Amino acid sequence: MSILSIDTSSQVSSVAVLSVERVAAEISMQGALTHSETLMPHIEMALRMARVEKSELEGIAVSIGPGSFTGLRIGLASAKMMAYALHIPLIAVPTLEALAHHYICEGVRLVPMMDAQKGNVYAQEFVWRMDGDALKLQEIRPLAILPLTEVIAGLENAEQPVILLGDAMQKKTTLTLPANVRLAPIHARMPRAACVGLAALTRLARGEMDDPVTAAPLYLRRSEAEVLWEKRHGTGAAQ
């Protein structure tokens, strides 16, 4: 079973073609080009590199946030269009859950965080625990918007070593971390389509899929543009 996986939740544009046996191809790029410029060419390139035709795909996975409002819209719209046109399942994967798939191992607390601006982050906490013969991802703190400093301070007394993932720390290299907290290396810190795909394959194996018509990004808050519009025009102006 080959699926196409997309992540446009951050400044990184990432596309992968994978199955339960292997990641056949993955393209990740962080540069000056926008997602609207790179996504479709990357999809075509990844399929060509993996030697998989669109007609052979058995699912489309996409990161749904939280993250970049514009990026999420572009990625989800493209995934919905392909799933609908190809008559294959759409699997929507929360971005922070996908980030936790960078480290599939016991004994560490994983804290993926995405930048929510103005000193705040989207944060969630996970651990991997044995469930029968396999590791299963378990949420230990729910998704929330919090000040970054509050999240870091709350980890100081964690019983397990802590690994921080996501783009929230990209510009916070001077922030002092507790002794038990480590920042993931750059190659494992940013969102990757392959990790979205790994989470999606688990969901698909359980029979979980999403409706291409109703699937929506996971925002948690309004965009800055919406807030500015309300300030300038009032709450009833956009009605």
Side-chain angles (χ1 to χ4, degrees):
M1 173 190 292
S2 290
I3 67 169
L4 175 71
S5 182
I6 297 168
D7 194 311
T8 53
S9 61
S10 68
Q11 293 180 341
V12 176
S13 173
S14 187
V15 175
V17 179
L18 69 157
S19 66
V20 293
E21 291 86 15
R22 65 182 184 133
V23 177
E26 184 177 26
I27 301 169
S28 296
M29 187 190 80
Q30 183 176 3
L33 298 178
T34 64
H35 291 303
S36 59
E37 295 173 290
T38 60
L39 181 57
M40 295 313 296
H42 284 175
I43 289 173
E44 296 291 342
M45 189 182 302
L47 289 169
R48 187 167 61 251
M49 291 168 59
R51 297 185 178 181
V52 173
E53 298 292 331
K54 289 180 183 177
S55 59
E56 297 175 306
L57 291 172
E58 297 184 62
I60 306 286
V62 62
S63 176
I64 59 167
S68 162
F69 283 74
T70 302
L72 291 171
R73 288 190 184 104
I74 292 170
L76 183 57
S78 300
K80 291 169 70 169
M81 174 189 67
M82 291 186 66
Y84 185 82
L86 296 171
H87 304 288
I88 56 178
L90 174 73
I91 309 96
V93 178
T95 301
L96 302 189
E97 178 184 323
L99 280 164
H101 282 71
H102 280 286
Y103 289 85
I104 304 178
C105 61
E106 291 183 284
V108 294
R109 177 181 293 198
L110 302 173
V111 185
M113 298 184 294
M114 296 294 285
D115 186 13
Q117 302 181 358
K118 299 179 180 178
N120 297 314
V121 295
Y122 303 106
Q124 201 168 4
E125 297 185 26
F126 299 93
V127 293
W128 288 92
R129 293 200 170 112
M130 290 300 299
D131 182 23
D133 296 329
L135 285 169
K136 182 178 181 180
L137 187 64
Q138 180 177 340
E139 179 191 70
I140 57 174
R141 285 207 175 176
L143 176 61
I145 301 177
L146 297 166
L148 174 60
T149 52
E150 181 179 322
V151 175
I152 300 301
L155 298 171
E156 187 170 1
N157 297 318
E159 296 178 358
Q160 296 173 307
V162 178
I163 298 177
L164 305 180
L165 307 110
D167 71 357
M169 295 291 292
Q170 191 170 11
K171 298 178 182 178
K172 308 292 191 302
T173 54
T174 59
L175 187 65
T176 301
L177 299 178
N180 62 324
V181 178
R182 293 289 181 270
L183 183 61
I186 187 64
H187 71 277
R189 191 184 316 163
M190 303 302 287
R192 285 182 54 193
C195 292
V196 175
L198 289 173
L201 286 167
T202 300
R203 287 174 171 241
L204 194 57
R206 296 196 298 257
E208 298 177 14
M209 58 190 72
D210 296 271
D211 187 341
V213 176
T214 60
L218 180 60
Y219 285 143
L220 291 192
R221 65 174 179 83
R222 295 176 300 162
S223 70
E224 194 68 20
E226 290 173 314
V227 173
L228 289 173
W229 173 273
E230 183 175 300
K231 285 182 178 179
R232 291 173 181 172
H233 304 281
T235 55
Q239 299 295 322

